[in-house]
Every structure is written in C-alpha cells, then in structure tokens.
Amino acid sequence: EVPSIPDTIMAGLPIPNVCTTMPLRDYAERVWAVERIGSRGAGESHEEWKRRWEKTRQGRLWKTYLLPSRLGAVPLGKLDKYAFDAFLTGLRLRDGSRPKYDTVRLVRAEYKAMLDHAHRKGHISQVHIFFPLKGFKKGGQHEQAPLSFDEENNLIENAASTMHAALFAYALDTGVRPGEAVSLHWEDITWGASEGADWGKVYVRGTKTRESLATLPLGPRSSSRLADLHRDNGHPESGPVFVWHGKSIKSFRRALT
C-alpha cells in the first residue's frame, strides 16, 4: 500500500524513500505533474487539477499510454530497461494496431524526463538505459530526437527576446501545432488567480480540424513568460501576442530567423 503523502510533499518536497516505493502512476500524478503544471490553484479540486494536467501535451501521453499500462504499477525504484521494454512490447492503440515510431519516441522522452527529475531529487539512484526502439513504423521524415525537459528550459532561457521565450514556452507546454502557436491573441488568454500565476488557460485559434478546437491549460513556464511579454507590451487587451518588428508573426519557422 502506498504511504499517504502530506501537503508538503505535494508542494514539491517529497521524501525520497517514500517516493522510491510509489508506483509509477502515483509518482507521475502526485510529484511529476506538480513539476510540470504547478500545484492546485485556489479552490481547485484534485479532479479539476488532474483534468488540467491531462489536457497538456505531456499529460495526454501519460493518460493515454503510461498510466493505464502494467508499467504504471511498477514502483519507481524498480523501473529498469526490461520493465520499459515489456511496456513497449505490449503497447497498442484502441484498434489493436501499434503506435507510430514518432509517438513512441515522444512517450519515451516524457518518461525519461520524469526519470531525470526523480534522479535529480534523489528519489532514484540512477536513470536506467533503454533498448533501441524496434517494431514501430517510421515516418518518412528524418529522425529527430525530442528535447528533454532540461533542453526545453535551456531553449526558453536563452531565447533571443521576451517574445521568443514566450512563444517557445507556450508551444512546448501546450503542444499546439506551429500555426496554432503563432495565432494566439491576448483575448484568447484567461489568466490564473493573478497575472503570472502558475496556471491559466488559452483558447486555441487556427486549429487544423474541428475536433482539435480546444481550451488548453497553461503551465508555469508559459504562464510566466506570457505574463512577462504582456507586461513589456503595456498590458494589451487584444491583438496578436507574437509580434516582431511591428508585424504579427504568421509563420513559426520565420519566428526562428
């Protein structure tokens, strides 16, 4: 039975030996998710907070692939390359087919980001190695490894401007498509308890399909960076968020040049 976790642990101060014995799904929901999106907001129930996490790019990977699997029941300290390989061997979509190679790489990258965090906090003694990915259909594009959580933060911290930092943080936290990212307007943002708080939400414009229309939660990084940009621009109430040299950005690729 998993020991009860006091509020101080939920606030980001977990006890290492308690975390080591926690099943992966408990650690992901009670420790790693707090790192990703922050703790519960004022008046927010646990179920509301959990749904907010599951709407993020990373949370969707956990909800869809990792948490329901047998791997989710493995204690954090018992995770190894064999347990993860067994998880991949049994990984199937709802129709029984195997997920695409690129999807599996994203799942593995998010899982490894969680392991890296657990290792930094002293919750595990080391990050296990991985077997090569085999048996998944590759796309036609050149393989490119996803950024780790530390690499994402380095990209944001070293961005050329406040605007670029906000754009990168927003895209990385929400997982929106490039065209959806640059289409963000100030009126699409609902700030948290106060501007710059660790959560808020955005309405996504320019979606590719009707099914992808959504209101998505912001994480601490994107909320903070967007608030910085909002302040630097004089607290506008409407208009495009990402403007460079007086012109709104229409292409994510051009924003990088």
Side-chain angles (χ1 to χ4, degrees):
E1 183 177 353
V2 179
S4 60
I5 309 297
D7 290 341
T8 53
I9 293 179
M10 289 295 292
L13 301 171
I15 301 172
N17 63 341
V18 171
C19 291
T20 301
T21 62
M22 292 175 69
L24 171 63
R25 63 172 59 97
D26 287 349
Y27 185 85
E29 292 183 349
R30 302 164 76 177
V31 179
W32 176 234
V34 175
E35 176 71 18
R36 280 299 200 184
I37 67 167
S39 55
R40 294 199 299 266
E44 186 179 30
S45 69
H46 175 74
E47 288 304 315
E48 290 171 336
W49 174 86
K50 184 178 178 180
R51 285 195 296 271
R52 180 159 62 88
W53 175 52
E54 291 174 345
K55 287 183 179 180
T56 66
R57 173 175 62 97
Q58 300 86 1
R60 287 195 297 271
L61 294 175
W62 284 97
K63 178 183 178 181
T64 304
Y65 301 105
L66 291 157
L67 297 183
S69 70
R70 291 184 179 180
L71 187 69
V74 176
L76 186 69
K78 297 291 185 180
L79 293 170
D80 58 22
K81 63 181 181 180
Y82 300 104
F84 190 76
D85 192 56
F87 158 71
L88 292 182
T89 300
L91 192 57
R92 295 290 188 276
L93 300 177
R94 290 182 179 179
D95 61 4
S97 63
R98 300 278 274 170
K100 293 182 179 179
Y101 181 79
D102 288 345
T103 300
V104 177
R105 285 193 301 115
L106 289 174
V107 172
R108 185 176 67 174
E110 173 62 13
Y111 169 78
K112 186 177 183 302
M114 180 277 302
L115 290 179
D116 289 338
H117 171 76
H119 185 241
R120 287 194 302 270
K121 295 293 187 180
H123 303 159
I124 55 176
S125 59
Q126 62 182 3
V127 176
H128 69 73
I129 62 174
F130 293 85
F131 289 115
L133 292 178
K134 296 180 180 179
F136 297 96
K137 184 178 180 180
K138 294 186 178 182
Q141 297 182 344
H142 177 70
E143 180 179 346
Q144 185 175 2
L147 295 177
S148 69
F149 190 55
D150 287 340
E151 288 171 335
E152 290 180 356
N153 286 332
N154 286 336
L155 175 66
I156 296 168
E157 290 293 337
N158 294 291
S161 68
T162 305
M163 187 278 294
H164 288 89
L167 176 59
F168 297 156
Y170 169 58
L172 289 167
D173 273 0
T174 60
V176 294
R177 299 182 179 93
E180 296 166 354
V182 297
S183 298
L184 183 66
H185 282 53
W186 291 116
E187 59 266 35
D188 300 333
I189 302 174
T190 301
W191 302 103
S194 60
E195 185 172 307
D198 64 356
W199 61 286
K201 58 185 178 181
V202 293
Y203 172 74
V204 182
R205 292 174 180 249
T207 50
K208 192 173 182 179
T209 63
R210 180 178 297 274
E211 288 75 16
S212 60
L213 290 170
T215 298
L216 298 177
L218 294 172
R221 298 183 302 185
S222 50
S223 178
S224 174
R225 296 294 179 170
L226 286 168
D228 290 343
L229 183 61
H230 193 227
R231 181 197 61 231
D232 290 353
N233 288 348
H235 302 276
E237 295 183 359
S238 61
V241 172
F242 302 114
V243 177
W244 191 238
H245 298 306
K247 296 182 178 180
S248 62
I249 294 176
K250 303 297 184 183
S251 165
F252 194 93
R253 179 173 295 181
R254 294 196 63 179
L256 305 180
T257 61

